[in-house]
Amino acid sequence: MIKIENLHASIEGKEILKGLNLTVNAGEVHAIMGPNGAGKSTLASVLAGREEYEITAGSVDFDGNDLLEMSTEDRAREGLFLAFQYPVEIPGVSNVNFLKTAVNEIREYKGLEPISAKDFMQKVREKSALVELDSKLASRAVNEGFSGGEKKRNEIFQMAMLEPKLAILDETDSGLDIDALRIVANGVNKLKSPENACIVITHYQRLLDYIIPDFVHVLYNGRIVKSGPKELALELEEKGYDWIKEEVDSVNA
Amino acid sequence: MGYTENELAKDLENQEYKFGFVTNIESDKAPKGLNEGIIRFISEKKNEPEWLLEFRLKAFETWKEMTEPEWAHVHYEKPDFQDITYYSAPKQTKKYESWDDVDPELKETMKKLGISMEEQQRLTGVAVDFVMDSVSVATSFKAKLKELGIVFCSFSDAVQEYPDLVKKYMGSVVPMTDNFYAALNSAVFTDGSFCYIPKGVRCPMELSTYFRINEGGTGQFERTLVVADEGSYVSYLEGCTAPQRDENQLHAAVVELIALDHAEIKYSTVQNWYPGDKDGKGGVFNFVTKRGVCEKQAKISWTQVETGSAVTWKYPSCILKGDYSIGEFYSVAVTNNYQQADTGTKMVHLGKNTKSTIISKGISAGKSQNSYRGLVQIHKNASNARNFSQCDSLLMTDECGAHTFPYIECKNSSAKIEHEATTSKIGEDQIFYCLQRGISEEKAISLIVNGYCKEVLNQLPMEFAVEAQKLLAISLEGSVG
């Protein structure tokens, strides 16, 4: 699905990613954990194509395409979805209109006819139920006046509507109470299939009680320094990140 | 069939010659410059009654004493009023020999606007046979209107056919002495539109200059007069969303609306005169005086989407004379490159329990300057008057400017006035969010801007709103920085 090799990225001259390697196959869920400032959100931004970041070395293969050569919108159209840590408000633009535009742009890219209004609304009903999103929210302006939990649920709703190959959840659990967390995680689990994959970026182990990862990676100082099965998350929860930092720093010393 | 546009043109030509003018004027185009002789020439050309000539001459005398206003937040080289041709017959308007001669850029823009091929050709004056079709369409509409007693014709025709109505109402809302450009217009106007809705009649269709195709190419100084008699209703659309590449430097129009007791007038404008090129060269100066008067329980609603012109100076206003009358102003003004707009409204509350609403959305891009200027005036007898104003500005770049000049004059303590204003910059985050969902940048800007303007666009009739949305997108293409 995605193969990241020796990825180096910097912003305003400061190197954040320092040779990151990661391979995710279809049907897998990978969790990326790590202390603050490790580069977790940078990784999400770089993969999605934020222009502020400069890629200085490395390659990313996304389903046979050179991801780094693709525009932000084409990455999305090829099936890369980012659930934002801080979803953006777009006043006056209804969620439905926004999503319909997105769905049709993706369809056009794939050479398909625009979706019919009937099919689209059917899909809206079906997918909003999946994340227990009040259907009223679907007709409200994008994220405008939404609570923190509603915004995050709306991200998963959009993900359900766009049916991506690879979803990257950037700290989707931050700011969620336990009920919202469960709803969001249920949504993600229901969307899981052998054809798609998911990268869950999180600071806490909490979310991983609900979304069971196949692999857990620790990102520290711009690189993945430790990988393991889901139990690694529990170990991190218990022992914190310091022991990993020490391990890495002693190797580098 | 049997009567083609060419024949019509020929007839007109012969007609013109018939008049036989004084001195050396042989063509149907007046020489450059402005003096009493020119005004007499225009009036004679149009076979006007004596009172109208006197109106013009009086306006001209007043205008000579006036100076060009400088209070607006715009900078431009003042037009040389002696270097303008004040009369030119319609057949002088630029026509293309064939579709291939039409400027490709113009074609491209029209295509983007979603204007049908036939319509595109009609707008550029090509394809005579289609024009013929359109004439018949227009005629069938006219028959329907006539049945209801609705008058909708060119100003010139109205002067000939309905002189009493014209005489009674012309200059009653915008006096000839009102301001520099209104005075100039009153002296030299060549044509425009006239509309009268009889008592209690609800006009069943949107009236638009669109249908008056053979009267296209109205001059720089047009005049519109809309009279809605007691209890009547009309929705009037002005302008066309097609890119009228008018090279005229100066447009000084006057629009007067009269809503008698219980009448309602909805007046919508989509303006996209030539804004000048990317470096600010050329473009139209749009200095327009628009005003309406509301009698008892009458309502006037102005909606405008302004994307064109190099300099815009325009304040569609309502005089709320009758008790319980209502004035509304919904505006989207877009400026890009070096465009300058100083636009807004005046709500003059004279009657009791009068109500006004102002929603203004300014969008500035490029190096443009966009100003809202509004006056809410509550006179001493206007008890319980209410006003709500909302002025929002959206900035697309770091080099443009947005300004708000709200004036409030209140002489009645029972009045309630609310004013809200916001300024925001279009977010790179918003655009990135759209891109990440697979939406192109062009569509993203269009979505964001249309969302921002929604309250105003909602006021426009359906088809007009769709075109206005596309126009906004085109005006702002590639403008984020």
Side-chain angles (χ1 to χ4, degrees):
Chain A
M1 179 73 71
I2 193 163
K3 191 172 186 191
I4 306 170
E5 281 183 302
N6 190 33
L7 187 63
H8 289 254
S10 52
I11 186 163
E12 288 163 3
K14 191 174 177 248
E15 188 167 59
I16 310 282
L17 298 184
K18 304 170 182 174
L20 186 139
N21 296 296
L22 178 68
T23 301
V24 176
N25 298 309
E28 294 176 352
V29 175
H30 289 239
I32 295 183
M33 303 184 71
N36 288 329
K40 301 192 297 292
S41 284
T42 297
L43 175 63
S45 295
V46 165
L47 294 180
R50 250 194 212 279
E51 279 177 9
E52 300 93 286
Y53 294 91
E54 196 194 344
I55 314 296
T56 49
S59 67
V60 181
D61 178 281
F62 179 50
D63 233 15
N65 296 306
D66 181 353
L67 186 82
L68 301 176
E69 284 299 306
M70 293 162 76
S71 67
T72 303
E73 59 270 36
D74 281 352
R75 295 179 195 196
R77 291 164 184 168
E78 283 290 342
L80 187 142
F81 181 93
L82 173 64
F84 284 61
Q85 185 176 2
Y86 304 107
V88 179
E89 297 187 8
I90 310 179
V93 178
S94 77
N95 241 333
V96 170
N97 185 18
F98 177 75
L99 275 170
K100 196 168 180 195
T101 307
V103 167
N104 282 335
E105 290 258 292
I106 293 169
R107 288 179 71 92
E108 192 185 329
Y109 178 82
K110 292 179 177 164
L112 298 169
E113 291 288 304
I115 191 167
S116 76
K118 188 170 160 265
D119 290 351
F120 180 75
M121 288 318 293
Q122 173 64 32
K123 203 167 170 179
V124 166
R125 270 190 296 273
E126 197 183 297
K127 305 293 185 185
S128 57
L130 197 72
V131 285
E132 300 175 38
L133 190 76
D134 189 335
S135 58
K136 278 184 203 131
L137 288 186
S139 45
R140 283 208 351 227
V142 179
N143 293 323
E144 196 187 23
F146 283 30
S147 72
E150 284 170 341
K151 282 183 184 173
K152 293 296 174 75
R153 266 190 278 169
N154 195 27
E155 291 294 287
I156 306 304
F157 167 57
Q158 291 185 22
M159 174 178 146
M161 288 294 295
L162 299 178
E163 297 169 335
K165 282 192 278 198
L166 176 66
I168 303 165
L169 275 53
D170 188 8
E171 308 239 3
T172 298
D173 52 337
S174 69
L176 289 189
D177 61 35
I178 204 77
D179 291 330
L181 190 70
R182 184 185 45 78
I183 292 167
V184 164
N186 275 345
V188 173
N189 288 335
K190 283 181 196 157
L191 294 169
K192 202 178 151 184
S193 84
E195 283 80 44
N196 61 29
C198 191
I199 297 176
V200 182
I201 294 173
T202 181
H203 196 72
Y204 301 104
Q205 188 270 339
R206 203 173 59 148
L207 180 65
L208 304 179
D209 286 341
Y210 299 94
I211 302 173
I212 311 294
D214 299 299
F215 302 94
V216 175
H217 309 277
V218 179
L219 183 59
Y220 173 60
N221 202 14
R223 282 184 297 133
I224 285 177
V225 294
K226 199 170 185 68
S227 299
K230 63 177 192 288
E231 288 75 19
L232 177 59
L234 293 168
E235 200 178 347
L236 290 167
E237 180 78 358
E238 195 184 317
K239 294 161 69 178
Y241 292 106
D242 286 350
W243 62 283
I244 290 185
K245 289 184 193 173
E246 277 163 28
E247 229 177 76
V248 173
D249 294 342
S250 68
V251 170
N252 289 348
Chain B
M1 297 295 272
Y3 191 66
T4 66
E5 199 193 39
N6 287 337
E7 281 163 10
L8 177 77
K10 242 181 240 162
D11 277 4
L12 288 173
E13 206 167 9
N14 295 334
Q15 222 178 334
E16 314 277 4
Y17 277 104
K18 213 164 54 184
F19 288 117
F21 303 109
V22 268
T23 67
N24 55 353
I25 302 161
E26 282 175 9
S27 73
D28 48 0
K29 194 172 173 182
K32 278 184 179 174
L34 183 54
N35 55 50
E36 201 183 307
I38 294 287
I39 291 168
R40 286 182 183 278
F41 167 78
I42 295 171
S43 188
E44 191 173 353
K45 222 22 175 160
K46 304 186 77 66
N47 196 20
E48 285 176 355
E50 190 60 28
W51 62 266
L52 191 49
L53 175 64
E54 275 168 28
F55 178 93
R56 287 177 182 278
L57 291 174
K58 223 163 128 190
F60 180 58
E61 286 308 312
T62 317
W63 178 75
K64 279 197 292 190
E65 303 300 317
M66 296 171 112
T67 48
E68 228 178 317
E70 286 180 345
W71 43 262
H73 190 78
V74 291
H75 303 278
Y76 58 94
E77 203 176 310
K78 287 183 180 144
D80 177 356
F81 294 100
Q82 296 303 335
D83 194 36
I84 291 172
T85 305
Y86 287 89
Y87 182 85
S88 170
K91 77 178 186 75
Q92 293 281 330
T93 52
K94 193 174 171 193
K95 289 232 163 116
Y96 298 91
E97 290 295 314
S98 83
W99 184 237
D100 295 336
D101 295 342
V102 178
D103 181 1
E105 201 187 319
L106 184 64
K107 284 193 214 171
E108 185 56 29
T109 312
M110 288 197 289
K111 213 170 94 192
K112 282 186 195 158
L113 277 169
I115 293 172
S116 73
M117 192 63 188
E118 288 174 330
E119 177 66 0
Q120 288 182 32
Q121 299 192 338
R122 189 188 68 70
L123 288 165
T124 46
V126 183
V128 174
D129 47 358
F130 179 69
V131 169
M132 285 306 296
D133 287 351
S134 196
V135 168
S136 62
V137 168
T139 317
S140 72
F141 273 115
K142 275 190 175 168
K144 205 165 171 186
L145 293 175
K146 204 171 173 186
E147 230 172 84
L148 293 163
I150 294 169
V151 178
F152 183 42
C153 62
S154 74
F155 207 91
S156 307
D157 287 351
V159 168
Q160 303 301 327
E161 290 168 40
Y162 309 95
D164 295 343
L165 279 173
V166 176
K167 197 173 173 184
K168 184 172 175 189
Y169 290 109
M170 180 182 173
S172 70
V173 191
V174 180
M176 64 173 94
T177 53
D178 190 78
N179 66 68
F180 185 82
Y181 291 107
L184 179 64
N185 175 290
S186 301
V188 303
F189 73 92
T190 40
D191 215 330
S193 306
F194 175 78
C195 171
Y196 172 79
I197 316 291
K199 269 184 201 172
V201 170
R202 194 180 165 86
C203 186
M205 63 190 86
E206 320 273 353
L207 290 188
S208 159
T209 38
Y210 172 85
F211 295 116
R212 285 187 26 238
I213 41 164
N214 52 353
E215 288 138 20
T218 45
Q220 309 164 277
F221 302 99
E222 54 192 278
R223 250 191 121 87
T224 304
L225 178 59
V226 178
V227 182
D229 213 327
E230 290 172 22
S232 67
Y233 167 84
V234 63
S235 169
Y236 188 95
L237 311 182
E238 175 196 56
C240 168
T241 54
Q244 306 219 13
R245 283 298 173 102
D246 199 313
E247 299 301 331
N248 288 327
Q249 270 298 107
L250 177 65
H251 274 259
V254 169
V255 176
E256 293 179 283
L257 309 184
I258 293 113
L260 297 178
D261 293 358
H262 305 277
E264 181 178 347
I265 302 175
K266 205 170 148 59
Y267 194 100
S268 313
T269 306
V270 172
Q271 183 268 117
N272 64 333
W273 299 110
Y274 184 49
D277 67 12
K278 279 203 165 63
D279 302 317
K281 277 205 188 102
V284 171
F285 294 168
N286 192 24
F287 301 141
V288 182
T289 307
K290 289 184 163 179
R291 197 176 300 153
V293 63
C294 288
E295 298 290 345
K296 240 182 281 166
Q297 290 191 28
K299 179 175 171 184
I300 288 179
S301 182
W302 298 100
T303 305
Q304 59 172 20
V305 175
E306 303 274 322
T307 64
S309 298
V311 181
T312 299
W313 182 97
K314 178 179 166 186
Y315 314 91
S317 306
C318 296
I319 298 170
L320 303 172
K321 187 177 155 204
D323 294 348
Y324 293 97
S325 59
I326 298 171
E328 292 175 342
F329 174 73
Y330 297 95
S331 168
V332 171
V334 180
T335 52
N336 200 351
N337 299 320
Y338 285 89
Q339 279 178 277
Q340 306 175 68
D342 193 301
T343 184
T345 184
K346 278 194 270 185
M347 292 291 175
V348 180
H349 292 252
L350 299 175
K352 293 179 180 53
N353 299 299
T354 45
K355 210 172 125 185
S356 63
T357 305
I358 299 171
I359 308 283
S360 165
K361 303 274 182 178
I363 301 168
S364 331
K367 295 180 165 63
S368 67
Q369 295 295 326
N370 200 326
S371 304
Y372 166 81
R373 187 183 302 276
L375 169 67
V376 175
Q377 201 176 50
I378 315 277
H379 284 251
K380 68 174 192 296
N381 292 330
S383 40
N384 299 316
R386 287 183 61 185
N387 162 265
F388 174 76
S389 304
Q390 186 185 330
C391 306
D392 297 331
S393 309
L394 185 67
L395 304 172
M396 308 289 283
T397 65
D398 296 328
E399 292 174 296
C400 57
H403 315 268
T404 307
F405 304 98
Y407 304 89
I408 296 171
E409 293 169 16
C410 184
K411 291 186 180 134
N412 186 304
S413 59
S414 65
K416 216 171 140 188
I417 300 168
E418 289 174 72
H419 182 94
E420 287 178 12
T422 64
T423 302
S424 51
K425 186 165 185 292
I426 192 161
E428 276 166 30
D429 283 348
Q430 286 176 330
I431 292 174
F432 181 74
Y433 193 68
C434 294
L435 291 176
Q436 211 300 307
R437 299 300 184 245
I439 299 168
S440 66
E441 176 163 336
E442 204 176 301
K443 278 228 172 87
I445 291 171
S446 161
L447 264 181
I448 295 164
V449 166
N450 282 314
Y452 166 77
C453 301
K454 200 172 161 195
E455 287 159 280
V456 175
L457 297 176
N458 279 350
Q459 297 295 324
L460 290 172
M462 193 59 181
E463 314 89 86
F464 227 39
V466 171
E467 286 191 27
Q469 284 186 14
K470 288 180 183 158
L471 190 63
L472 285 176
I474 291 170
S475 308
L476 292 168
E477 218 164 70
S479 61
V480 173

